[in-house]
Amino acid sequence: MRNISRSLGTTTPQQRKWLLFGMAGLLVVFLVWFFVLRDTEGQGPGGTTPPPRPALGKTIPYEDYRASIREALVQVRDAESLSGDERK
């Protein structure tokens, strides 16, 4: 760290001005790329857009819901009773 401060201490004010000017230029180029030129197609505020949800806004009768839950439970119990090669 001392070497860096010593080397900066030996620079002239005009050299420091150009160094700061160059760093500011790099910062401007990065910010323009990041906010203007970067491809953000398909990205929302949190990253990529979520997959479509086809059932959004549809209502399912309670009896249909209960029947599908019962069917899923039967399938899980059947899968738990399998052993060995039957599981594949």
Side-chain angles (χ1 to χ4, degrees):
M1 194 68 158
R2 278 188 184 158
N3 291 338
I4 293 173
S5 63
R6 283 183 188 157
S7 67
L8 287 177
T10 59
T11 58
T12 64
Q14 187 172 2
Q15 288 174 328
R16 280 188 228 135
K17 179 180 75 172
W18 283 108
L19 179 65
L20 289 174
F21 182 70
M23 291 172 63
L26 286 175
L27 179 64
V28 166
V29 168
F30 172 75
L31 291 175
V32 166
W33 169 80
F34 189 80
F35 289 110
V36 178
L37 302 175
R38 190 170 55 123
D39 182 26
T40 57
E41 185 80 21
Q43 292 184 357
T48 60
T49 55
R53 301 186 330 191
L56 188 64
K58 296 181 181 177
T59 57
I60 301 170
Y62 185 67
E63 287 306 317
D64 291 348
Y65 172 76
R66 288 182 57 139
S68 63
I69 295 297
R70 267 189 250 114
E71 182 181 332
L73 184 58
V74 166
Q75 289 176 358
V76 168
R77 287 182 178 152
D78 288 344
E80 286 176 346
S81 66
L82 297 177
S83 63
D85 289 335
E86 294 175 333
R87 288 185 178 220
K88 296 179 183 177

